[in-house]
Amino acid sequence: MAGVGIPQTTVALAVRPASVTAPRQLEGQQVALAVLRSAIRGVVPGYAARLLYGYCGTTKEYCSDPDCQWPFGTCDSNQTPAGPTTLNDPRPLIGQVSYDNDIYDCSKTGVVALTYDDGPYQYTAQLLDILKSYGFKATFFMTGNNLNKGAIDVTAPYPAIIRRMITEGHQVASHTWSHYSLSNIPSAVRKDQMVKNERAIANIIGKYPTYMRPPYSQCSRESGCWADMKALGYHRVYFDLDTQDYLNPTTIQRSKDIVTQILGTGGATDYLAIQHDLVEQSVTNLTSYFFDLIKAKGWKGVTAGECLNDPPANWYRTPGGR
């Protein structure tokens, strides 16, 4: 099933370290999210500006992740969660879901896999209330420390929210520690982005995910990202229904039109959808509208794991264990 496409743009940074040997590949989505995140933080969207024009700086919009120029200094997320690293944990490739191929589609029919990126955030608790009222389940692809929200394992109210996700039958998954493009960083940094998030999540729920979604949908074979994610035992999960809520934070009717059109199209038997729980209107306005459309089709909202017919026991690993 075809998702809603995002135009691609190629931008070369005017200033970049010698270790970066090729122009940085950026999707239109990346700049759009940068502007959105800057607006959320209440700062000038400097990240988008320097991507386009090569500006550098030392102020908040330049040193705050996910927008920080990490090769040039210290970013605000440059912290390591307490506890032993998970880097050398055994990682057998459990279950039948592919560790080799990008995943865009469900195996189960009559479902929409509900997935939310970039949280937890200030609207996530309300989203959990809405999910509970519909009896739907979702997968939360979480970042560990970006958008000035603090590390998720030590900053209230996030530990309680994440524990609630587990208690209410949702799936916790990884969207990396600081939301960097995984295709554009060295392997060591890529792995660090994953294991920091693992440690923080395990500090909260005692286990860490086997499912991940690459920020900006960027995890290429050529960069070594595929090999690194498989070595770490991750399924790479994308989507075939893009609500484009991140492009329409104040004009969410456009996202409503997208889901109305797609769910009204005959022939499809399932969808794997993406929203962002840091977008207020996506949570408070789009979500219930979307869920009503799903119910009207006689379908239900499920986790990514359920849509792939993967038992919940396969969704996580325990530190030092399998």
Side-chain angles (χ1 to χ4, degrees), residues 62-196:
Y62 295 92
C63 299
S64 173
D65 274 323
D67 308 340
C68 181
Q69 292 178 309
W70 63 266
F72 298 97
T74 300
C75 301
D76 67 346
S77 73
N78 189 21
Q79 306 169 33
T80 300
T85 180
T86 57
L87 180 61
N88 296 316
D89 281 1
R91 299 173 188 258
L93 304 183
I94 54 179
Q96 301 302 311
V97 177
S98 178
Y99 293 88
D100 294 305
N101 301 317
D102 292 336
I103 297 168
Y104 290 90
D105 194 12
C106 292
S107 303
K108 196 169 186 175
T109 61
V111 300
V112 176
L114 304 171
T115 73
Y116 295 86
D117 285 13
D118 293 347
Y121 204 63
Q122 66 190 81
Y123 314 116
T124 307
Q126 184 175 356
L127 174 58
L128 289 171
D129 292 341
I130 297 170
L131 284 159
K132 187 174 184 178
S133 72
Y134 280 82
F136 286 176
K137 307 300 181 184
T139 298
F140 291 88
F141 289 96
M142 301 189 307
T143 53
N145 188 354
N146 70 336
L147 297 174
N148 300 303
K149 68 185 181 184
I152 56 173
D153 59 331
V154 295
T155 306
Y158 303 126
I161 289 174
I162 294 167
R163 285 191 290 268
R164 179 184 171 188
M165 291 174 184
I166 296 297
T167 298
E168 296 184 357
H170 303 294
Q171 181 180 13
V172 168
S174 181
H175 200 41
T176 76
W177 180 245
S178 309
H179 206 280
Y180 294 158
S181 166
L182 297 182
S183 292
N184 294 292
I185 54 179
S187 177
V189 178
R190 189 183 296 132
K191 291 177 180 177
D192 188 60
Q193 281 286 301
M194 300 305 297
V195 300
K196 282 184 176 179

Side-chain angles (χ1 to χ4, degrees), residues 41-56:
R41 289 198 305 269
V43 298
V44 176
Y47 180 50
R50 76 171 178 271
L51 286 176
L52 297 174
Y53 304 113
Y55 296 155
C56 293

